[in-house]
Amino acid sequence: MTFKQVGVSLLTLVVLAPVMTVPASAKVKVIPKAMRGTWVTKPQYNKKPHIKKNMWLPSMKLVVYKKTAKWQMKGYLPSDTGYDHKIHKINAFQYSKDIVTLHGDALFTKWNFLSRQGKKLDFGQQMGGDIIMHRAK
């Protein structure tokens, strides 16, 4: 090979290399450290007096990891609501503007959202509604 042929092949390689490579995905799927940890909520009732038959949402435990979150209902569960004591897993799908989008075995819909409001964690659902959670002690 002559010097001219080597130069042309290197020039072709330098020009075509950026076109042939595939760019990496720009989506960040990591949950921020401020949202990680164990979060809990108290049971919620329809009306007073706060007795078990007036409960519409039992107490809940949410453990947030780097890329996933696991939630579980705790304590007494109303019989006609379909809640169970199983541990359900949801995966981080996207993080943008302080909101983490989660997809998987969610509470009410297929999509859930996590956002931080001061010392509280907002666990929201797709069609509205949210559960305000506090850090476990």
Side-chain angles (χ1 to χ4, degrees), residues 4-133:
K4 188 175 180 181
Q5 290 173 334
V6 171
V8 170
S9 62
L10 284 175
L11 183 62
T12 305
L13 182 64
V14 169
V15 171
L16 294 178
V19 176
M20 294 186 302
T21 60
V22 178
S25 175
K27 286 186 179 179
V28 177
K29 297 180 182 179
V30 176
I31 299 173
K33 287 185 180 179
M35 293 183 190
R36 295 182 204 165
T38 304
W39 300 85
V40 293
T41 181
K42 292 182 179 180
Q44 297 179 16
Y45 300 90
N46 291 337
K47 58 186 177 180
K48 290 187 178 183
H50 291 183
I51 57 176
K52 291 180 181 179
K53 73 175 187 176
N54 293 338
M55 182 186 300
W56 71 272
L57 185 67
S59 62
M60 186 174 154
K61 178 181 174 184
L62 176 73
V63 182
V64 181
Y65 299 102
K66 186 175 182 179
K67 295 184 180 184
T68 61
K70 293 181 180 179
W71 64 271
Q72 179 183 21
M73 293 297 173
K74 303 295 269 181
Y76 172 79
L77 301 179
S79 60
D80 59 343
T81 55
Y83 296 124
D84 57 16
H85 284 107
K86 293 180 183 177
I87 297 174
H88 302 273
K89 182 178 176 183
I90 44 182
N91 300 317
F93 180 73
Q94 185 178 7
Y95 173 68
S96 63
K97 297 183 181 179
D98 300 329
I99 296 176
V100 178
T101 306
L102 302 164
H103 183 66
D105 195 4
L107 183 58
F108 298 115
T109 61
K110 289 186 177 181
W111 295 91
N112 282 357
F113 308 96
L114 288 178
S115 65
R116 188 77 191 267
Q117 298 176 350
K119 292 185 176 183
K120 300 175 184 175
L121 184 74
D122 187 6
F123 183 51
Q125 290 85 32
Q126 180 180 7
M127 300 299 283
D130 55 349
I131 301 169
I132 304 299
M133 307 193 83

